[in-house]
Amino acid sequence: NSTLCYGSSAVVTATGGTSYTWTPATFLNNAFVGSPTASPPATTIYTVQIINNTPGYNCGKTVTTQVQVLPTPTTGFTFSQNPCGGDVRFYDTSSDDAIAWFWTLSPSLTSSVQNAYSFYKSGGTYTISLVTTNSYGCKNQHDTLLTIPTPPPVTVNTNTAICRGNSAQLNASGGIAYDW
């Protein structure tokens, strides 16, 4: 018996014969070999008729095996980004019992939280990837190409130390409105 994730394949094996006939032949790469590759979309019981007609033998046997197909998560996400650029929040929309997440947010930035965040200093086009894993260990991946505008050069004055009772001038630049 074999267990596989939906969309995957497994090799089923029969030995001891000179010819093999597997049924159902559906979702097998070759129903007439000892070890075909099975890619069923649902749990399937396969029956193989094994014939051994080598000199001194003329016998046959029929055996069964099951290929159990486990669900694969449906992976997806949405995002919201600051229209001025840089700031992007990613929201997992996966279904089918996802319990682990792995985001690739840029070539050098990954995250394993369910909903990720990144600030892109230089903007650009990025392939955002989310791989989810369900409780069966099955994985699925969703990729989206995202173009992020370069954020404006917003600055504030550097840290300033003052004595209690004194004041310091705060300066910000690069915006058109400021809310302190």
Side-chain angles (χ1 to χ4, degrees):
N1 291 339
S2 298
T3 301
L4 57 90
C5 296
Y6 177 84
S8 299
S9 59
V11 175
V12 290
T13 302
T15 60
T18 55
S19 69
Y20 305 89
T21 304
W22 292 86
T23 55
T26 309
F27 307 111
L28 294 176
N29 68 333
N30 186 340
F32 303 103
V33 295
S35 297
T37 300
S39 304
T43 297
T44 303
I45 295 176
Y46 288 101
T47 302
V48 60
Q49 182 179 14
I50 305 168
I51 304 292
N52 185 346
N53 59 9
T54 57
Y57 296 95
N58 190 8
C59 56
K61 185 172 186 173
T62 301
V63 293
T64 61
T65 188
Q66 175 178 287
V67 176
Q68 181 182 13
V69 179
L70 301 172
T72 298
T74 302
T75 303
F77 63 88
T78 61
F79 59 90
S80 64
Q81 69 185 80
N82 183 330
C84 293
D87 181 33
V88 183
R89 296 188 184 280
F90 300 95
Y91 305 99
D92 169 49
T93 60
S94 303
S95 60
D96 299 324
D97 194 26
I99 61 166
W101 301 265
F102 185 79
W103 296 88
T104 302
L105 302 170
S106 72
S108 61
L109 180 63
T110 61
S111 178
S112 60
V113 298
Q114 183 175 6
N115 298 306
Y117 168 82
S118 184
F119 185 83
Y120 298 87
K121 294 178 189 176
S122 60
T125 300
Y126 298 88
T127 299
I128 310 301
S129 176
L130 173 60
V131 176
T132 58
T133 306
N134 66 14
S135 60
Y136 299 107
C138 297
K139 297 176 186 257
N140 198 2
Q141 180 171 331
H142 178 74
D143 298 325
T144 295
L145 195 62
L146 181 60
T147 300
I148 301 164
T150 301
V154 178
T155 61
V156 295
N157 60 316
T158 59
N159 293 341
T160 303
I162 60 171
C163 293
R164 186 177 300 174
N166 291 338
S167 62
Q169 180 67 46
L170 300 177
N171 295 306
S173 63
I176 56 172
Y178 304 92
D179 185 11
W180 293 91

